[in-house]
Amino acid sequence: MRVLALIMAGGASLSLSALTAGRAAAATPFAGKYRIIDFTLSNCVNSGIYDVGVLSQHQPRSLHEHIGVGKPWDLDRLQGGVRVLHPFPTPDGGGWQRGTADAIRYHLDVIEERPVDYVMVLAGDHVYKMDYRPLLDLHMQRGADITLAVHSVPPHEAYRYGMVSVDGEGRVTKFEEKPRRTSSALASMGVYAFRKDYLVDLLYRDQAVDFGSEMLPRIVNEANVCAYTFNGYWADVGTVQAYYEANIALLAETPALDLYDPEWVVRTRSFERPAAQLGAEARIERSLLCDGCRVDGHVSGSVIGTGVVVGADAIIRDSVIMPDSVIEPGVVLDNCVVDKQVVIGRDCRIGEGSIGTPNAAQPQLLNTGLSVIGKAARISAGHTIGRNVVVTARSFVDQDLASGETF
């Protein structure tokens, strides 16, 4: 079976707030030591797919640095391997990819020249472990033009997804992109298998720019489109709240996402760091600590990334701290997401007060009490910051911030 995988990793993902101000969503750190795209890349190699293209666009530098030549995923190969595909100016004056279908169309030459029979188009900003081989087997058995992976979701979350209706034989009869109301409980996972010839012909004759909102709703009635139901763990972490919840869910006694499974290793670009170090007064409860972190304070219900420093008498509760951040002595953090390389000064208190004031700039995204501190921000000593607050990347905060503010 000859397969080319194309990973969509160019989206801006504004719903991740300050976390994607300087990076693609797919490059966002996750679970202390990984990047989100690691899950899709690992799924490919664990499924025996070693010909992979990563389509980039928004703030691609950290994504490029992370992937490199693909060695951590065994994708540094002369035949196949991984390549990062960039947007480029076109003869008609176009330059930016305007949607998922448009992004694939920009790289039709890559698809046409590859000696493959099938093309998988994969979202790069979802967290899941999936063997793609059963889906491809179904795709071949049915002689399908397209096969979509689908997953059940609660009705109140249907508005976030492309919702799929399926008949008794597993054929897709309807596709609705982010509907307000739907009778379907099956969401598209952003995992598509195409016959190569069909995909090439489709992109030449149909100039729509997006699969979900334009192409799929039309072609389900004219093509052989099948559904493959996936029952394993899958999380679309495209909002701050979903990202936070997926991280915190790893602290369950038996988490739905097993990162310790030797049969399905999630690979990543790793740095040589020493073991985690706990001081004499450190206290850790139900938390995840990564290599190179040094903890002298109290940590509960939190994910502490690689190289994080937690000072004496600091208290971190129900928070996600990304790599190489420094939490100085006496700091209290409650219900926060702290990006990489942040420094929070001595005796600051972040996450104070009532959750009742949503963020003024992003009320739909931040209204549960979660505060976000952007990459490389600096918060000077002794300040109090409320809930539902956003501190943008590389800011220097030298004042108190009330709940709902953006600095």
Side-chain angles (χ1 to χ4, degrees), residues 370-387:
L370 186 65
S371 289
V372 179
I373 312 298
K375 182 180 178 180
R378 299 290 186 271
I379 301 176
S380 59
H383 291 299
T384 299
I385 294 176
R387 299 186 184 273

PDB file of all heavy atoms in Angstrom, residues 370-387:
ATOM      1  N   LEU A 370      -9.915  30.765  33.634  1.00  0.00           N
ATOM      2  CA  LEU A 370      -8.580  30.415  33.162  1.00  0.00           C
ATOM      3  C   LEU A 370      -7.850  31.664  32.661  1.00  0.00           C
ATOM      4  O   LEU A 370      -8.388  32.424  31.865  1.00  0.00           O
ATOM      5  CB  LEU A 370      -8.708  29.410  32.017  1.00  0.00           C
ATOM      6  CG  LEU A 370      -7.436  28.787  31.456  1.00  0.00           C
ATOM      7  CD1 LEU A 370      -6.758  27.915  32.509  1.00  0.00           C
ATOM      8  CD2 LEU A 370      -7.778  27.967  30.214  1.00  0.00           C
ATOM      9  N   SER A 371      -6.611  31.865  33.136  1.00  0.00           N
ATOM     10  CA  SER A 371      -5.789  32.972  32.655  1.00  0.00           C
ATOM     11  C   SER A 371      -4.624  32.434  31.840  1.00  0.00           C
ATOM     12  O   SER A 371      -4.106  31.348  32.105  1.00  0.00           O
ATOM     13  CB  SER A 371      -5.270  33.806  33.834  1.00  0.00           C
ATOM     14  OG  SER A 371      -6.326  34.539  34.420  1.00  0.00           O
ATOM     15  N   VAL A 372      -4.199  33.225  30.830  1.00  0.00           N
ATOM     16  CA  VAL A 372      -3.170  32.788  29.876  1.00  0.00           C
ATOM     17  C   VAL A 372      -2.035  33.799  29.872  1.00  0.00           C
ATOM     18  O   VAL A 372      -2.259  35.002  29.678  1.00  0.00           O
ATOM     19  CB  VAL A 372      -3.760  32.653  28.457  1.00  0.00           C
ATOM     20  CG1 VAL A 372      -2.684  32.219  27.476  1.00  0.00           C
ATOM     21  CG2 VAL A 372      -4.920  31.671  28.448  1.00  0.00           C
ATOM     22  N   ILE A 373      -0.817  33.297  30.062  1.00  0.00           N
ATOM     23  CA  ILE A 373       0.374  34.147  30.027  1.00  0.00           C
ATOM     24  C   ILE A 373       1.179  33.752  28.793  1.00  0.00           C
ATOM     25  O   ILE A 373       1.637  32.616  28.668  1.00  0.00           O
ATOM     26  CB  ILE A 373       1.244  33.965  31.290  1.00  0.00           C
ATOM     27  CG1 ILE A 373       0.381  34.032  32.565  1.00  0.00           C
ATOM     28  CG2 ILE A 373       2.351  35.004  31.310  1.00  0.00           C
ATOM     29  CD1 ILE A 373      -0.330  35.335  32.782  1.00  0.00           C
ATOM     30  N   GLY A 374       1.360  34.688  27.863  1.00  0.00           N
ATOM     31  CA  GLY A 374       2.002  34.394  26.592  1.00  0.00           C
ATOM     32  C   GLY A 374       3.500  34.171  26.695  1.00  0.00           C
ATOM     33  O   GLY A 374       4.149  34.488  27.703  1.00  0.00           O
ATOM     34  N   LYS A 375       4.067  33.626  25.637  1.00  0.00           N
ATOM     35  CA  LYS A 375       5.473  33.237  25.604  1.00  0.00           C
ATOM     36  C   LYS A 375       6.403  34.405  25.930  1.00  0.00           C
ATOM     37  O   LYS A 375       6.240  35.522  25.441  1.00  0.00           O
ATOM     38  CB  LYS A 375       5.821  32.680  24.217  1.00  0.00           C
ATOM     39  CG  LYS A 375       7.259  32.209  24.087  1.00  0.00           C
ATOM     40  CD  LYS A 375       7.544  31.667  22.697  1.00  0.00           C
ATOM     41  CE  LYS A 375       9.000  31.239  22.567  1.00  0.00           C
ATOM     42  NZ  LYS A 375       9.310  30.709  21.210  1.00  0.00           N
ATOM     43  N   ALA A 376       7.401  34.106  26.776  1.00  0.00           N
ATOM     44  CA  ALA A 376       8.470  35.044  27.123  1.00  0.00           C
ATOM     45  C   ALA A 376       7.967  36.321  27.787  1.00  0.00           C
ATOM     46  O   ALA A 376       8.672  37.340  27.796  1.00  0.00           O
ATOM     47  CB  ALA A 376       9.315  35.372  25.890  1.00  0.00           C
ATOM     48  N   ALA A 377       6.756  36.301  28.348  1.00  0.00           N
ATOM     49  CA  ALA A 377       6.279  37.460  29.114  1.00  0.00           C
ATOM     50  C   ALA A 377       7.060  37.574  30.419  1.00  0.00           C
ATOM     51  O   ALA A 377       7.597  36.592  30.938  1.00  0.00           O
ATOM     52  CB  ALA A 377       4.785  37.327  29.389  1.00  0.00           C
ATOM     53  N   ARG A 378       7.117  38.784  30.962  1.00  0.00           N
ATOM     54  CA  ARG A 378       7.776  39.046  32.232  1.00  0.00           C
ATOM     55  C   ARG A 378       6.787  39.762  33.143  1.00  0.00           C
ATOM     56  O   ARG A 378       6.192  40.768  32.742  1.00  0.00           O
ATOM     57  CB  ARG A 378       9.022  39.930  32.053  1.00  0.00           C
ATOM     58  CG  ARG A 378      10.109  39.324  31.167  1.00  0.00           C
ATOM     59  CD  ARG A 378      10.780  38.153  31.868  1.00  0.00           C
ATOM     60  NE  ARG A 378      11.919  37.639  31.118  1.00  0.00           N
ATOM     61  CZ  ARG A 378      11.858  36.697  30.193  1.00  0.00           C
ATOM     62  NH1 ARG A 378      10.666  36.169  29.868  1.00  0.00           N
ATOM     63  NH2 ARG A 378      12.936  36.272  29.571  1.00  0.00           N
ATOM     64  N   ILE A 379       6.602  39.229  34.328  1.00  0.00           N
ATOM     65  CA  ILE A 379       5.700  39.868  35.301  1.00  0.00           C
ATOM     66  C   ILE A 379       6.544  40.239  36.507  1.00  0.00           C
ATOM     67  O   ILE A 379       7.130  39.369  37.154  1.00  0.00           O
ATOM     68  CB  ILE A 379       4.548  38.924  35.680  1.00  0.00           C
ATOM     69  CG1 ILE A 379       3.760  38.534  34.423  1.00  0.00           C
ATOM     70  CG2 ILE A 379       3.637  39.584  36.708  1.00  0.00           C
ATOM     71  CD1 ILE A 379       2.665  37.521  34.663  1.00  0.00           C
ATOM     72  N   SER A 380       6.649  41.515  36.778  1.00  0.00           N
ATOM     73  CA  SER A 380       7.532  41.968  37.855  1.00  0.00           C
ATOM     74  C   SER A 380       6.941  41.615  39.214  1.00  0.00           C
ATOM     75  O   SER A 380       5.745  41.331  39.353  1.00  0.00           O
ATOM     76  CB  SER A 380       7.794  43.471  37.754  1.00  0.00           C
ATOM     77  OG  SER A 380       6.588  44.208  37.822  1.00  0.00           O
ATOM     78  N   ALA A 381       7.775  41.638  40.217  1.00  0.00           N
ATOM     79  CA  ALA A 381       7.441  41.099  41.543  1.00  0.00           C
ATOM     80  C   ALA A 381       6.263  41.815  42.196  1.00  0.00           C
ATOM     81  O   ALA A 381       6.058  43.019  42.027  1.00  0.00           O
ATOM     82  CB  ALA A 381       8.665  41.184  42.451  1.00  0.00           C
ATOM     83  N   GLY A 382       5.487  41.038  42.941  1.00  0.00           N
ATOM     84  CA  GLY A 382       4.494  41.590  43.855  1.00  0.00           C
ATOM     85  C   GLY A 382       3.160  41.956  43.264  1.00  0.00           C
ATOM     86  O   GLY A 382       2.322  42.536  43.960  1.00  0.00           O
ATOM     87  N   HIS A 383       2.891  41.617  42.010  1.00  0.00           N
ATOM     88  CA  HIS A 383       1.633  42.035  41.388  1.00  0.00           C
ATOM     89  C   HIS A 383       0.553  40.955  41.493  1.00  0.00           C
ATOM     90  O   HIS A 383       0.845  39.766  41.619  1.00  0.00           O
ATOM     91  CB  HIS A 383       1.856  42.408  39.924  1.00  0.00           C
ATOM     92  CG  HIS A 383       2.663  43.655  39.760  1.00  0.00           C
ATOM     93  ND1 HIS A 383       2.263  44.875  40.243  1.00  0.00           N
ATOM     94  CD2 HIS A 383       3.884  43.863  39.192  1.00  0.00           C
ATOM     95  CE1 HIS A 383       3.172  45.787  39.969  1.00  0.00           C
ATOM     96  NE2 HIS A 383       4.173  45.196  39.343  1.00  0.00           N
ATOM     97  N   THR A 384      -0.698  41.411  41.432  1.00  0.00           N
ATOM     98  CA  THR A 384      -1.860  40.523  41.474  1.00  0.00           C
ATOM     99  C   THR A 384      -2.577  40.581  40.132  1.00  0.00           C
ATOM    100  O   THR A 384      -2.860  41.669  39.623  1.00  0.00           O
ATOM    101  CB  THR A 384      -2.818  40.925  42.600  1.00  0.00           C
ATOM    102  OG1 THR A 384      -2.143  40.813  43.857  1.00  0.00           O
ATOM    103  CG2 THR A 384      -4.052  40.035  42.612  1.00  0.00           C
ATOM    104  N   ILE A 385      -2.863  39.430  39.580  1.00  0.00           N
ATOM    105  CA  ILE A 385      -3.555  39.325  38.291  1.00  0.00           C
ATOM    106  C   ILE A 385      -4.787  38.459  38.491  1.00  0.00           C
ATOM    107  O   ILE A 385      -4.722  37.390  39.103  1.00  0.00           O
ATOM    108  CB  ILE A 385      -2.624  38.726  37.222  1.00  0.00           C
ATOM    109  CG1 ILE A 385      -1.463  39.696  36.948  1.00  0.00           C
ATOM    110  CG2 ILE A 385      -3.381  38.403  35.936  1.00  0.00           C
ATOM    111  CD1 ILE A 385      -0.429  39.174  35.975  1.00  0.00           C
ATOM    112  N   GLY A 386      -5.925  38.917  37.975  1.00  0.00           N
ATOM    113  CA  GLY A 386      -7.189  38.229  38.200  1.00  0.00           C
ATOM    114  C   GLY A 386      -7.384  37.029  37.301  1.00  0.00           C
ATOM    115  O   GLY A 386      -6.440  36.446  36.766  1.00  0.00           O
ATOM    116  N   ARG A 387      -8.640  36.651  37.118  1.00  0.00           N
ATOM    117  CA  ARG A 387      -8.991  35.498  36.300  1.00  0.00           C
ATOM    118  C   ARG A 387      -9.466  35.950  34.917  1.00  0.00           C
ATOM    119  O   ARG A 387      -9.851  37.104  34.727  1.00  0.00           O
ATOM    120  CB  ARG A 387     -10.067  34.669  36.988  1.00  0.00           C
ATOM    121  CG  ARG A 387      -9.607  34.113  38.348  1.00  0.00           C
ATOM    122  CD  ARG A 387     -10.654  33.184  38.926  1.00  0.00           C
ATOM    123  NE  ARG A 387     -10.283  32.722  40.272  1.00  0.00           N
ATOM    124  CZ  ARG A 387      -9.522  31.667  40.507  1.00  0.00           C
ATOM    125  NH1 ARG A 387      -9.035  30.968  39.504  1.00  0.00           N
ATOM    126  NH2 ARG A 387      -9.244  31.313  41.748  1.00  0.00           N
TER     127      ARG A 387
END
